[in-house]
Amino acid sequence: MTLILDGRKLRDEGVKRLKEVIAKSAKTPVLAILQVGALAESGAYISQKKKFAEQIGAKVLHQTFSETVDDAELVGNIANLNDDDGVDGIIVQLPLPPRLDKQKVIDAIAPVKDVDGLTSANKKIFEAGDRRAVVPATAKGVLSLLRGYGLSVAGQRVTVIGRSDLVGGPIATLMKREGAQVAVCHRGTSDIAGKSRTADILIVAAGRPKLVTRDFVSPGEVVVDVGINSLSTGRPAAKLEEEIPTRRLVGDVDFEDVAPIVSAISPVPGGVGPMTVLSLFENLCDAAEVSF
Ligand code: NAD
């Protein structure tokens, strides 16, 4: 029987745990989220974070800026939030419009409030293996998902497909820090299927639906699918009163093809996604010094 790595179940346990510690603490953790423009996906991710905050008893301070805002205004705003004792964590909802200097804006966040772990200062200490570094939420979510099912990464051969600054890169760094033997694959890598098949744990973060098929895995392997891709169902647009979904979310792994072969696999939706939100709020509680 293939084990399904159920992120929603672990997330729900995490919600309970965080709710209890926040209720016992004298402090309500506050997360500031800066949003530029009105991208639908960003709106959906922010709503998810607000809902999560409400469930655990934390607060979100949602600041919105028009498409035309410049780096200086965002940086100035972040400086005010850095000085505000009522704010524990600050994140910039990505993506930003390409004309803005993303790293410059993120680097304006004070290290103690960098709960996404994306400032250059944090990246540097994270990559150096410093355990005081904030672990970026998706990477932390992947590790917690594995640990939640008793799967250790130490000494394991881990292949990561994808090496972006936000997702694949931090996942590989974290796996190395935890003692795994890590191989990283990207668009230019040869024989990705072979490098995937010989791993004990395969982590896929490429953003390519059905990239990973049965040729990429071997019996006993553990597969973690980080990809989130939105596909049309081919159905006509929903009428308001009907709510027929016209898009569905799929990962990078062809689940039906791969699941019967491997020993464990995370689904999309319901795998890494819920763990990523949980991890962000764990980082916020750390920053607010609400311990759990
Ligand atoms: P990105 O486009 O910045 O990076 C993709 C990486 O995958 C690159 O390193 C690229 O070289 C590699 N890649 C692309 N196609 C490939 C192929 N055919 N073979 C091998 N390597 C290939 O994307 P990203 O921001 O890193 O996001 C990756 C995926 O993770 C997306 O689907 C995104 O939606 C998802 N994501 C999920 C979560 C979550 O919580 N589950 C969080 C963030 C991002």
Side-chain angles (χ1 to χ4, degrees):
M1 264 279 279
T2 307
L3 174 67
I4 304 299
L5 305 174
D6 183 347
R8 286 185 181 137
K9 180 173 154 267
L10 294 182
R11 186 262 326 267
D12 291 347
E13 289 168 13
V15 164
K16 251 180 150 177
R17 198 172 65 240
L18 292 185
K19 192 176 170 181
E20 276 169 21
V21 289
I22 291 171
K24 276 187 204 147
S25 142
K27 197 164 172 183
T28 302
V30 176
L31 173 68
I33 304 179
L34 278 75
Q35 180 185 15
V36 177
L39 209 62
E41 282 97 32
S42 294
Y45 285 128
I46 292 171
S47 304
Q48 206 181 28
K49 287 166 191 160
K50 284 182 176 168
K51 190 175 154 207
F52 191 101
E54 204 179 306
Q55 283 175 339
I56 63 169
K59 271 195 185 140
V60 166
L61 177 65
H62 181 192
Q63 298 192 329
T64 52
F65 298 86
S66 85
E67 280 294 331
T68 56
V69 69
D70 59 15
D71 292 343
E73 189 179 340
L74 289 172
V75 166
N77 207 79
I78 290 172
N80 291 337
L81 293 170
N82 286 340
D83 291 340
D84 185 343
D85 290 340
V87 172
D88 302 292
I90 305 169
I91 65 171
V92 176
Q93 186 64 44
L94 299 174
L96 285 178
R99 59 179 183 78
L100 294 173
D101 185 341
K102 179 181 91 181
Q103 200 58 51
K104 182 176 162 191
V105 172
I106 290 173
D107 284 345
I109 299 171
V112 290
K113 299 194 179 184
D114 175 19
V115 288
D116 252 348
L118 297 179
T119 57
S120 302
N122 187 70
K123 265 192 221 167
K124 201 170 156 194
I125 61 165
F126 178 52
E127 278 162 18
D130 190 328
R131 289 194 174 264
R132 286 168 304 177
V134 174
V135 179
T138 308
K140 186 169 179 164
V142 169
L143 186 65
S144 302
L145 183 62
L146 291 167
R147 282 193 176 147
Y149 282 90
L151 299 166
S152 164
V153 301
Q156 301 290 294
R157 287 164 303 174
V158 174
T159 294
V160 182
I161 306 183
R163 59 163 181 185
S164 71
D165 275 0
L166 284 181
V167 187
I171 291 172
T173 301
L174 183 62
M175 294 298 140
K176 276 183 214 154
R177 193 186 85 174
E178 296 303 309
Q181 219 178 297
V182 181
V184 178
C185 300
H186 52 88
R187 258 186 221 101
T189 308
S190 63
D191 189 22
I192 298 179
K195 291 181 175 83
S196 301
R197 219 167 26 234
T198 50
D200 300 308
I201 302 173
L202 173 64
I203 303 172
V204 195
R208 295 285 173 277
K210 296 198 176 182
L211 171 69
V212 170
T213 57
R214 60 176 62 214
D215 302 338
F216 285 62
V217 294
S218 50
E221 199 163 336
V222 172
V223 178
V224 179
D225 189 354
V226 185
I228 301 179
N229 309 290
S230 164
L231 291 187
S232 167
T233 59
R235 289 190 209 120
K239 284 187 200 153
L240 270 179
E241 68 273 19
E242 283 178 357
E243 286 193 324
I244 303 167
T246 55
R247 304 192 78 75
R248 72 186 172 107
L249 293 185
V250 296
D252 292 349
V253 177
D254 186 339
F255 188 91
E256 279 72 32
D257 201 35
V258 167
I261 300 170
V262 297
S263 66
I265 185 167
S266 70
V268 176
V272 177
M275 298 304 289
T276 298
V277 187
L278 170 64
S279 301
L280 170 68
F281 282 91
E282 285 175 349
N283 285 347
L284 178 71
C285 288
D286 278 345
E289 293 178 340
V290 172
S291 59
F292 51 90

